[in-house]
Amino acid sequence: MNAIELNQALQMYVRTETFPVGVSIQKEEAALPSKAKRPVRDLGYPITICQAVGFSRRYGWSIAMNGADLSCPIAQVAFGYEEQPAFYIEGHLACGMYTDSLENGAKSELDVPKFSAEESGYYVSFPLERAEIEPDVVVIYGNAAQVMRLVAGMLYKRGGSIPSTFSSRADCADIAIKPIQTGQPQVIVPCYGDRLFAQTQDHEMAFSFHFRDAAELVEGLVGTQKGGIRYPIPSFLRYQAEFPPTYQKLAGMFGEKN
């Protein structure tokens, strides 16, 4: 299954408001999509990773970036563009904002998935329907019911449940790095930065998975739809409505004529 075929299936079975997005880590500049925008070169300023995904899912743009294009210091560390200084490791970024102490801040930073310098490369995001390269990871933003639909599809041939972790920060690492490193899909609660900088809305969640699982997911979406799990969620309408007393009195008057 290629990216365009996956996109078609997602549009049929999940019907998201924004484009499903492919994410790829490319080692060489020559491998970047020909039409990809480089933030500093083409926009005139660096951006966050979540903004790159936002451009891809809302504008349909392909974005290619490395550390020189990246404005977010946490992502600089997570994606292997910068080493972890003591100031970061000790928890100063989280302390006072997300945690009550440096000790707990350090725990939060330690928990962020990270690429080594060897794993790092150009971060490329693009809408699946315009894929020029094969993604490593696919991320789909939607409402809770749409994410539920994706979870059901992924578990069709696996059973059980999908383990995910939530921290309210650095969701860019959870979206891309964790599926690449673990091979496991992730349910994503978008972080504060994703909402602030990438305009992710209050009702949105996300689901990411390794592209090698695309055919399995689609098979699961087909199978669960046949089993009755579908989106939009059908409403149960087979009941008799109840009306206020004045309405019932009028209905009784209609009956008196018969």
Side-chain angles (χ1 to χ4, degrees):
M1 173 167 291
N2 62 39
I4 294 174
E5 291 169 336
L6 172 61
N7 181 73
Q8 292 170 340
L10 291 171
Q11 297 298 349
M12 177 180 296
Y13 294 108
V14 188
R15 307 185 187 194
T16 56
E17 292 182 1
T18 60
F19 300 123
V21 172
V23 174
S24 178
I25 306 300
Q26 293 292 325
K27 298 295 184 181
E28 304 295 335
E29 186 173 6
L32 301 181
S34 59
K35 296 182 179 180
K37 297 182 184 299
R38 298 293 303 275
V40 172
R41 182 192 70 192
D42 298 317
L43 303 179
Y45 47 83
I47 64 174
T48 65
I49 295 286
C50 52
Q51 280 178 283
V53 175
F55 279 128
S56 295
R57 74 185 184 96
R58 296 187 186 280
Y59 286 16
W61 288 358
S62 295
I63 302 289
M65 57 194 296
N66 59 10
D69 294 296
L70 180 57
S71 62
C72 177
I74 298 175
Q76 289 277 9
V77 172
F79 283 85
Y81 300 127
E82 296 288 346
E83 294 183 357
Q84 302 178 51
F87 182 80
Y88 172 85
I89 294 172
E90 291 166 358
H92 292 275
L93 274 68
C95 181
M97 185 175 185
Y98 288 97
T99 67
D100 64 347
S101 67
L102 279 175
E103 180 182 4
N104 288 328
K107 291 178 183 177
S108 293
E109 302 303 0
L110 184 63
D111 195 61
V112 175
K114 299 177 183 71
F115 278 151
S116 65
E118 292 72 27
E119 293 173 304
S120 185
Y122 290 91
Y123 181 97
V124 186
S125 67
F126 49 90
L128 289 182
E129 67 174 29
R130 300 176 186 174
E132 295 182 47
I133 59 176
E134 184 175 291
D136 295 313
V137 168
V138 174
V139 60
I140 304 154
Y141 280 73
N143 59 41
Q146 290 168 319
V147 171
M148 178 212 70
R149 185 75 185 86
L150 290 161
V151 169
M154 190 61 82
L155 293 177
Y156 183 68
K157 295 183 71 64
R158 301 184 182 195
S161 60
I162 291 176
S164 295
T165 59
F166 311 99
S167 68
S168 81
R169 60 197 298 267
D171 72 351
C172 56
D174 290 330
I175 287 169
I177 298 175
K178 188 170 286 187
I180 289 174
Q181 291 182 336
T182 68
Q184 297 301 312
Q186 295 291 309
V187 174
I188 307 294
V189 175
C191 71
Y192 193 79
D194 198 344
R195 300 175 191 279
L196 180 66
F197 300 125
Q199 310 301 312
T200 294
Q201 299 300 296
D202 289 354
H203 70 274
E204 290 185 297
M205 297 178 65
F207 184 80
S208 69
F209 58 95
H210 205 290
F211 181 65
R212 67 186 177 210
D213 294 332
E216 180 183 354
L217 172 64
V218 172
E219 185 176 352
L221 290 172
V222 173
T224 49
Q225 174 140 322
K226 288 180 179 178
I229 308 300
R230 58 190 62 209
Y231 188 86
I233 308 297
S235 300
F236 181 77
L237 295 171
R238 299 182 63 180
Y239 53 84
Q240 183 173 353
E242 295 185 0
F243 297 97
T246 52
Y247 284 51
Q248 295 178 34
K249 184 175 181 179
L250 178 60
M253 294 177 183
F254 294 156
E256 291 173 359
K257 295 180 180 180
N258 298 328

